[in-house]
Each structure stands twice: as C-alpha cells, then as structure tokens.
Amino acid sequence: MPSTKQLDIPPAAARDKASFEILRVWIAEQGQHVSLRSDAWEDPFAWGIVLADLVRHVALAHQLQHPGTDSEIFVERLLEGFHAEIENPTDEPEGEVTQ
C-alpha cells in the first residue's frame, strides 16, 4: 500500500498553466470510484487513445518496478482482464454529472 493516498501531479502538468486533469480513480469501500472530465473530447476515439496510452504507462511502471518483466506479456494479460470485464462486467457504472 502506498504511503500517501494521492499521487503526485506530473511536473509538466504543474508547469503548464493550461493543463487540466481528466481522470481520477480511487479504491474506496472495497470498490472503484471515478471522477472524470467526460467532456474533454467529443469523439470517443480520443478516449480510446487515452486508454491505450494508460495501458503502456502501466506496463512501463510495472517493468521499472520489476526488472525482467516482459512488457508484451504484461500487456496481453492486462488486455485479457480488460476484455473479460467489458464482456462480463462485475458491476455497472453509476453516478451523476457535477460541475
């Protein structure tokens, strides 16, 4: 378990006055809780790019923490989990739009 509850803001985001956060995911009360800026892009294709980039960031972070990890195998396994959840969700998203 990390020693802090919140992650650091990336240095580039801290420097760039035009930067903005688009996604935050928490584990709380034994579940996943999400805040997101759903209006960041009109075309859902852009969200697909974000998700693909996140996959590569997760794989790189894991590889840096566990040298010798085969990142291709890691990504394949991650995608297996992704497809399993898309095809048979373990829960349904719920929430509201807030400003």
Side-chain angles (χ1 to χ4, degrees):
M1 179 63 97
S3 61
T4 180
K5 288 187 172 195
Q6 295 181 347
L7 301 172
D8 294 335
I9 296 172
R15 288 190 302 270
D16 184 352
K17 296 210 184 307
S19 70
F20 57 93
E21 188 171 46
I22 60 167
L23 178 67
R24 191 174 276 218
V25 182
W26 288 80
I27 302 301
E29 298 175 352
Q30 300 178 350
Q32 190 179 102
H33 302 268
V34 177
S35 295
L36 60 92
R37 188 177 301 263
S38 60
D39 62 351
W41 300 282
E42 287 189 33
D43 188 349
F45 189 91
W47 282 105
I49 292 171
V50 169
L51 293 174
D53 287 346
L54 284 172
V55 166
R56 288 191 289 274
H57 282 292
V58 170
L60 174 60
H62 186 84
Q63 188 177 43
L64 291 172
Q65 291 178 328
H66 302 91
T69 297
D70 184 323
S71 56
E72 285 186 31
I73 292 172
F74 184 92
V75 168
E76 286 176 18
R77 183 67 178 148
L78 185 153
L79 291 174
E80 287 174 8
F82 178 86
H83 290 297
E85 184 65 19
I86 288 290
E87 293 168 9
N88 295 299
T90 55
D91 63 2
E92 291 296 325
E94 58 183 70
E96 60 190 54
V97 175
T98 61
Q99 299 296 341

